[in-house]
Amino acid sequence: MFADPDANLWRTTPPTAPLVIERARFYDNATFASLASCAVDNPLLARNPLGGTFNKTTGLLVRFTDSGYATVVADGNLSCFAPFVDTARRKYPKANAFVLNVRGPRLRRQ
């Protein structure tokens, strides 16, 4: 069972397999600022093809296996996410596939 008093937990899955875990202050300020800048200013961000409440959002999605890790961190547009990916790989050493889903800034109406 998941138990962490310093985290928010959202799930649509069994209690032993949370869908999302949010922890405040997980990274030091400099690392967090770097990751945030990478997410907000990333040239790969694109308009979302979905409609409804998602039609004004941007984002990027990267799927890769453990063997594709070197390619991801060598990519000039994705290497800035390396601290996050490295953390996930350390925390889940038996994982062999990863999904990095980044929500970009909300687009302003023009």
Side-chain angles (χ1 to χ4, degrees):
M1 181 68 136
F2 178 83
D4 186 341
D6 298 320
N8 292 324
L9 170 71
W10 290 272
R11 65 180 178 82
T12 57
T13 55
T16 56
L19 181 62
V20 175
I21 301 170
E22 178 183 78
R23 289 189 175 88
R25 305 193 197 308
F26 187 77
Y27 292 103
D28 61 71
N29 289 341
T31 302
F32 180 81
S34 175
L35 286 167
S37 176
C38 182
V40 171
D41 301 327
N42 199 293
L44 296 178
L45 291 175
R47 287 188 181 269
N48 192 329
L50 301 175
T53 58
F54 296 101
N55 69 347
K56 300 271 191 276
T57 63
T58 60
L60 65 93
L61 178 73
V62 180
R63 296 179 295 167
F64 59 98
T65 62
D66 196 47
S67 63
Y69 167 79
T71 302
V72 171
V73 297
D75 184 292
N77 294 316
L78 300 174
S79 60
C80 53
F81 292 115
F84 177 81
V85 175
D86 290 343
T87 299
R89 291 178 80 222
R90 277 192 308 274
K91 185 159 178 66
Y92 303 102
K94 293 183 180 181
N96 64 1
F98 301 86
V99 176
L100 176 61
N101 185 4
V102 178
R103 187 182 76 184
R106 187 176 176 117
L107 295 176
R108 295 183 190 157
R109 288 186 185 184
Q110 297 184 10

